[in-house]
Amino acid sequence: YDLPDASLAKEFYAKYEPKEVLGKGISSVVRRCIEKQTGQEYAVKIMDVTEETTSDVQADEVTYAVKKEINILKMCAGHHHIIALHDTFESSTFIFLVFELCRKGELFDYLTQVVTLSEKRTRTIMRQLIEAVAFIHDKGIIHRDLKPENILLDDNLNIMLSDFGFAHVMAQGETLTDLCGTPGYLAPEVLAVSMYEQVDGYGCEVDMWAVGVIMYTLLSGHPPFWHRKQMYMLRAIMEGKYKFGSPEWDDISDPPKDLISKLLVVNPKKRLTAKQALEHPFFKREDVLSISP
Ligand code: ADP
Ligand code: MG
């Protein structure tokens, strides 16, 4: 059941003390907050359904979308590298999602500070990311918006996959046809579906394309597909045209390049799955060195 708006907001503010803004999305504001009873810090994503919607129909759609996001977050509960949902407050016009706090913010901002990551750091981050992706794909969940803005870092710089706003639980044999995500990270088959209205939709493979784009960006400091004119960028994506250019890639070893080249594969059937990617030689090295407790 839905609480009336006023009492919903009251209930939230009775339990939590809101603090500074941590980030903003198209439809949400995320603030640090403190749970009064425990003194624990969290991040609350506050969605105002009324503000950016004009009709009741749209408001219903947004509410439905948020319920979907909550359901998917609950399905992912317990994974070390997926953001944990602590509490929720829902009404017809306001939604509060209380998450564990990622104090170090977005991988995007971290990358902006350091420009590029070493192969070693990249290995750690990519392994955590692909483990999270393998976990969700195993449950039939497709994320559809993997990018450094949606990968958060905890105190120890471990990653937390977040923002399941475009995520979807795939039914047996289901394929998707809607265009969503972020341009630079879109897989070729997503663009093909919307351009040519081809009969086949797309599936979980789109996340692994985005994983390839992210990995390329972490190592070189710039995305693999970029052009001032978006049309050219989209064409490069569809043709799978990118380069390991000089000088950024000169000192980078072969295994990471090989892994990227097996992720940025235009044909989704030939692209590595998350499980296959974890078996790639790039991830084998540290396993030898680090002994787990
Ligand atoms: P949107 O769907 O609007 O993109 P996100 O869930 O991605 O919303 O949140 C927007 C931003 O808020 C994130 O990119 C990040 O900067 C910040 N943020 C979200 N969740 C957390 C969190 N748990 N800890 C710290 N910052 C967060
Ligand atoms: Mg986001």
Side-chain angles (χ1 to χ4, degrees):
Y1 71 102
D2 283 345
L3 283 165
D5 304 329
S7 66
L8 174 95
K10 253 193 212 152
E11 201 186 317
F12 172 79
Y13 291 112
K15 242 176 123 176
Y16 297 91
E17 196 180 314
K19 297 287 187 186
E20 77 279 3
V21 172
L22 298 169
K24 273 185 187 166
I26 318 162
S27 56
S28 66
V29 180
V30 177
R31 284 180 179 276
R32 185 169 70 88
C33 66
I34 295 170
E35 190 174 41
K36 291 177 183 172
Q37 206 174 25
T38 60
Q40 274 283 339
E41 291 178 298
Y42 292 96
V44 59
K45 183 168 171 176
I46 303 170
M47 288 179 259
D48 181 348
V49 181
T50 47
E51 204 176 12
E52 36 100 58
T53 50
T54 46
S55 74
D56 285 350
V57 180
Q58 277 176 309
D60 283 349
E61 272 170 23
V62 176
T63 315
Y64 171 77
V66 178
K67 285 198 195 307
K68 190 170 158 183
E69 184 175 346
I70 293 171
N71 173 45
I72 290 174
L73 285 161
K74 286 183 177 166
M75 285 173 72
C76 297
H79 194 276
H80 287 317
H81 297 298
I82 298 177
I83 195 80
L85 184 63
H86 174 69
D87 207 353
T88 63
F89 300 80
E90 298 164 66
S91 79
S92 52
T93 51
F94 269 102
I95 296 146
F96 297 80
L97 303 184
V98 183
F99 292 99
E100 72 182 298
L101 177 66
C102 291
R103 226 179 294 265
K104 295 266 159 71
E106 302 173 8
L107 175 59
F108 180 85
D109 293 320
Y110 178 70
L111 187 64
T112 308
Q113 283 166 32
V114 298
V115 187
T116 61
L117 299 187
S118 66
E119 290 187 31
K120 193 162 175 261
R121 282 291 303 144
T122 303
R123 178 177 302 119
T124 307
I125 287 181
M126 293 308 298
R127 184 189 282 126
Q128 294 179 356
L129 174 62
I130 300 173
E131 278 173 4
V133 173
F135 176 85
I136 65 169
H137 284 183
D138 208 44
K139 295 184 180 303
I141 300 166
I142 170 174
H143 185 283
R144 295 201 286 182
D145 202 16
L146 295 179
K147 56 178 174 178
E149 291 90 324
N150 289 333
I151 297 168
L152 306 177
L153 300 166
D154 74 6
D155 290 1
N156 304 313
L157 294 178
N158 289 315
I159 71 129
M160 289 290 172
L161 181 54
S162 83
D163 196 354
F164 285 74
F166 286 133
H168 180 78
V169 189
M170 307 282 278
Q172 255 320 318
E174 185 183 6
T175 58
L176 302 171
T177 53
D178 45 331
L179 179 64
C180 69
T182 305
Y185 299 85
L186 290 178
E189 65 270 26
V190 178
L191 297 170
V193 167
S194 66
M195 277 187 190
Y196 307 129
E197 297 179 12
Q198 61 174 50
V199 257
D200 291 352
Y202 62 85
C204 286
E205 301 89 355
V206 303
D207 286 341
M208 293 312 291
W209 176 275
V211 163
V213 175
I214 293 166
M215 183 167 166
Y216 181 106
T217 309
L218 294 184
L219 286 166
S220 68
H222 62 85
F225 306 101
W226 196 85
H227 198 282
R228 204 160 37 84
K229 291 194 179 126
Q230 201 178 75
M231 199 52 226
Y232 288 104
M233 180 187 78
L234 298 180
R235 187 177 297 165
I237 293 173
M238 293 193 70
E239 292 169 358
K241 255 192 180 156
Y242 69 97
K243 277 192 261 190
F244 292 120
S246 191
E248 323 84 271
W249 290 93
D250 292 351
D251 296 328
I252 297 172
S253 71
D254 286 336
K257 290 178 188 165
D258 185 71
L259 175 53
I260 290 167
S261 71
K262 287 172 174 155
L263 292 167
L264 297 181
V265 173
V266 173
N267 182 347
K269 292 195 180 87
K270 295 191 175 149
R271 196 175 301 150
L272 290 187
T273 64
K275 277 207 184 95
Q276 288 167 342
L278 290 169
E279 295 299 316
H280 189 276
F282 178 59
F283 292 119
K284 291 297 163 197
R285 291 191 195 170
E286 226 176 27
D287 289 341
V288 183
L289 297 172
S290 70
I291 299 148
S292 37

